[in-house]
Amino acid sequence: MATAADADAMRRAIELAARGLGSTSPNPVVGCVITDASGAVVGEGFHQKAGAPHAEVHALSAAGDKARGGTAYVTLEPCNHTGRTGPCSQALLQAGIARVVYAVGDPNPQATGGADTLRAAGVEVEQGLLAKEAEAGNAAWLTSVRLGRPYVLWKYAATLDGRIAAEDGTSRWITSPEARADVHRLRAEADAVVVGSGTARTDDPHLAVRGVEGAVQPLRVVVDTEAEAVRPGARVLDDAAPTLVAVAEDADTAHLGDTDVVRLPRAATGLDIPALLAALHGRGVRSVLLEGGPALAGAFVAAGAVDKVVGYLAPVLLGAGPAALTGGGITTIAEALRLELTETVRIGPDLRISATPKER
């Protein structure tokens, strides 16, 4: 049975795992804490980059001989396969670890089985400690493996009366510098940032990460069905980060030159969202930050492809102007997409609210 000390060690492993957000894709974020036979912490580590040593290897290296007879606390079941690195289950066995406690089982059929390997070798293995917390920290990767599509976080900024712009279309700036800086953190944690043609036309967004040290720039994606919104000279076409323009199969893209373009089937309105997500997944994208606008957000909601909502609400009233969401396939209150609040945080003068759909 897990003790308070076990929970403390796993909580620390979850904190360590979060340090890898934005740099490990297409691999998961993983944290590991090693305690010696007396229960003292002797090693810590986290997965820092795809292709680099896994969390367990970093923690075992820090622990050295003190790991023998000790316990390893890992946020994800130790892997059991050889890829760009060796299997962590074998590394734990070679280090003489006597007990392994992990939070979440590995759903990847190529890597799972580490727990069975460890048990077969006589190691005491326990699963499920702080599983909910560990799942939340690794939601993007777990979703991509389980559903075969990228995890989608929809972010929007609005006034308290739900407007994302004034009646005349002006929208800079509804939220504070602190909130906008926090959005760059979300960008840094995502593999791709996605906007629609309306946002591209109105805002000429840049979409690259700024102000986050060591950030890996996400893929900038513009959903431009008719290939009319992204024109030569658009900020999104500079060399600050890679860019992909998603267009309809019959769209004329001659003006885009050598810009990376993906052609997708049309839907009733715009492009087919599942096809877009499949195309991104095929390019190694495991997490998407959906930044706008309301029509594209509605298309994602209608497709059942929003896994988390983060709204930045400013203490401002406009009274008129576009809403944060249009469409969504919702026509009556009975069809409303009910959300579960997971966090409310004050960001400067604004409020950041995070929620996840109750039914996915």
Side-chain angles (χ1 to χ4, degrees):
M1 183 175 178
T3 65
D6 290 332
D8 288 343
M10 185 62 78
R11 198 168 288 112
R12 174 58 179 166
I14 293 170
E15 292 174 358
L16 290 167
R19 295 184 182 180
L21 284 170
S23 61
T24 65
S25 187
N27 291 355
V29 293
V30 183
C32 178
V33 171
I34 305 290
T35 60
D36 64 15
S38 70
V41 175
V42 293
E44 295 183 342
F46 67 97
H47 185 38
Q48 300 174 13
K49 182 180 179 182
H54 290 185
E56 296 94 322
V57 174
H58 283 297
L60 290 171
S61 177
D65 292 339
K66 295 178 181 178
R68 190 162 298 279
T71 298
Y73 300 87
V74 196
T75 57
L76 185 68
E77 179 185 1
C79 66
N80 201 45
H81 80 301
T82 300
R84 284 183 282 183
T85 62
C88 290
S89 55
Q90 293 301 319
L92 292 165
L93 289 175
Q94 291 168 10
I97 288 289
R99 177 175 175 240
V100 171
V101 181
Y102 69 94
V104 181
D106 193 334
N108 184 353
Q110 294 180 326
T112 192
D116 291 339
T117 295
L118 291 164
R119 286 193 187 96
V123 175
E124 180 184 350
V125 179
E126 300 171 27
Q127 175 186 353
L129 179 61
L130 300 186
K132 184 176 180 180
E133 293 89 334
E135 286 234 7
N138 216 8
W141 182 81
L142 288 168
T143 297
S144 72
V145 173
R146 291 168 177 167
L147 301 184
R149 64 155 175 84
Y151 173 88
V152 177
L153 188 161
W154 170 41
K155 160 264 164 188
Y156 70 93
T159 62
L160 280 184
D161 56 344
R163 308 297 178 176
I164 62 168
E167 191 171 16
D168 66 357
T170 55
S171 61
R172 295 186 178 181
W173 294 102
I174 286 175
T175 53
S176 63
E178 294 91 338
R180 298 198 297 274
D182 196 60
V183 171
H184 282 278
R185 175 189 60 82
L186 294 182
R187 286 182 183 176
E189 293 177 358
D191 293 341
V193 179
V194 179
V195 299
S197 57
T199 299
R201 239 185 242 106
T202 304
D203 297 340
D204 187 22
H206 191 230
L207 302 181
V209 177
R210 298 188 302 276
V212 180
E213 186 178 353
V216 177
Q217 290 291 347
L219 175 68
R220 300 177 292 187
V221 181
V222 180
V223 180
D224 187 7
T225 305
E226 308 299 341
E228 295 175 346
V230 180
R231 310 303 299 181
R235 297 173 68 212
V236 78
L237 296 179
D238 69 10
D239 59 2
T243 298
L244 175 69
V245 180
V247 303
E249 292 168 323
D250 57 348
D252 181 3
T253 58
H255 61 285
L256 291 175
D258 59 359
T259 300
D260 194 6
V261 171
V262 60
R263 296 183 178 276
L264 299 171
R266 292 178 182 269
T269 58
L271 296 180
D272 184 274
I273 298 303
L276 170 64
L277 291 174
L280 293 175
H281 192 268
R283 290 168 175 254
V285 171
R286 298 296 178 261
S287 58
V288 163
L289 176 62
L290 177 62
E291 288 207 27
L296 185 61
F300 270 78
V301 169
V306 171
D307 301 294
K308 183 176 182 179
V309 180
V310 175
Y312 294 86
L313 299 183
V316 176
L317 298 176
L318 282 175
L325 179 70
T326 59
I330 300 168
T331 58
T332 177
I333 193 68
E335 298 171 348
L337 180 60
R338 303 289 178 176
L339 307 176
E340 179 180 354
L341 287 178
T342 57
E343 184 186 50
T344 56
V345 178
R346 182 80 174 264
I347 305 288
D350 305 319
L351 186 65
R352 184 185 72 204
I353 299 179
S354 301
T356 56
K358 289 185 177 180
E359 297 180 8
R360 300 194 179 187

